[in-house]
Amino acid sequence: MKILTVFLAAALAPVWAQPLQFPASFEQLAAKATESTNVNLDAAMLQAAGKIADSQQKKSGPLVSSLVSNLKAVQVRTFEFAKEGEYNDSDVAPIRAQLKTPEWSQIVSTSNKKEREGAEIYFHRAGEKIIGIVVIAMEPKELTVVHVDGEIDPSKITAMGVPDVASKIAYDLSRQVPPAGTR
């Protein structure tokens, strides 16, 4: 799950908007977790990473820097626990509350009650543009929240040749979700 989450964060990173406020309870979760990851990349760090990636992929041109050029930030929080039940829905509720505005659309919601797993994907749109995304992934012993703040053109992910179903899904869904305020 960790590799998939990091890959999803990288693939979808260019799609986010508006800073997400992580609740204070996340500090308590980090203290309880056997392993936690806390990633905060601002626009300058993303630009630098894009240039480094482009220099290593000279034949493809400046695709990565183009992909991250309109990003403001990428935030990732991952918590892994020794046993089930170390976190609950109330820990994620403050995140979901921030996404209950007309600008945000929940485009994916999966739930497996037997396995106690689920995932949610939210898009923030401004007209036809995607300017934010949030992914919440939950497993019995793991919780991950990924937030990308900034505008992205999903077709750029495809142009990079990223062999990732999630990027295609994100692109296809972005074409189907009506702009905010038109629902």
Side-chain angles (χ1 to χ4, degrees):
M1 177 73 169
K2 187 186 304 184
I3 293 172
L4 174 64
T5 302
V6 172
F7 189 70
L8 263 176
L12 297 176
V15 190
W16 259 307
Q18 279 190 2
L20 188 70
Q21 300 299 315
F22 289 103
S25 64
F26 274 29
E27 294 297 322
Q28 296 162 346
L29 288 178
K32 289 195 289 187
T34 56
E35 189 175 326
S36 65
T37 303
N38 193 352
V39 176
N40 293 300
L41 301 172
D42 64 13
M45 288 188 274
L46 289 164
Q47 298 299 319
K51 289 177 185 174
I52 291 168
D54 287 344
S55 70
Q56 295 175 356
Q57 300 290 324
K58 291 187 193 254
K59 65 180 178 181
S60 63
L63 290 172
V64 176
S65 59
S66 170
L67 188 67
V68 300
S69 64
N70 292 322
L71 293 185
K72 299 174 187 173
V74 173
Q75 301 168 288
V76 180
R77 301 292 186 274
T78 300
F79 308 98
E80 292 183 40
F81 304 97
K83 59 185 183 203
E84 295 182 20
E86 294 284 329
Y87 78 94
N88 58 49
D89 242 17
S90 66
D91 293 311
V92 183
I95 300 289
R96 288 186 183 117
Q98 294 175 64
L99 304 172
K100 290 195 184 286
T101 64
E103 296 83 18
W104 286 95
S105 299
Q106 184 178 34
I107 61 163
V108 174
S109 176
T110 65
S111 177
N112 182 330
K113 291 186 186 337
K114 181 180 177 186
E115 300 295 325
R116 299 188 54 225
E117 296 179 353
E120 302 168 15
I121 301 175
Y122 299 83
F123 276 1
H124 183 206
R125 296 189 56 142
E128 295 296 315
K129 297 178 182 178
I130 297 171
I131 59 171
I133 190 168
V134 171
V135 177
I136 302 170
M138 300 156 289
E139 293 183 4
K141 297 183 193 178
E142 187 173 341
L143 170 65
T144 300
V145 178
V146 180
H147 174 241
V148 179
D149 181 8
E151 181 184 339
I152 186 172
D153 178 356
S155 65
K156 289 182 181 180
I157 296 171
T158 305
M160 288 178 59
V162 177
D164 175 42
V165 174
S167 65
K168 179 166 180 7
I169 291 169
Y171 178 74
D172 291 345
L173 288 171
S174 73
R175 312 295 269 163
Q176 296 174 12
V177 176
T182 63
R183 290 170 266 182

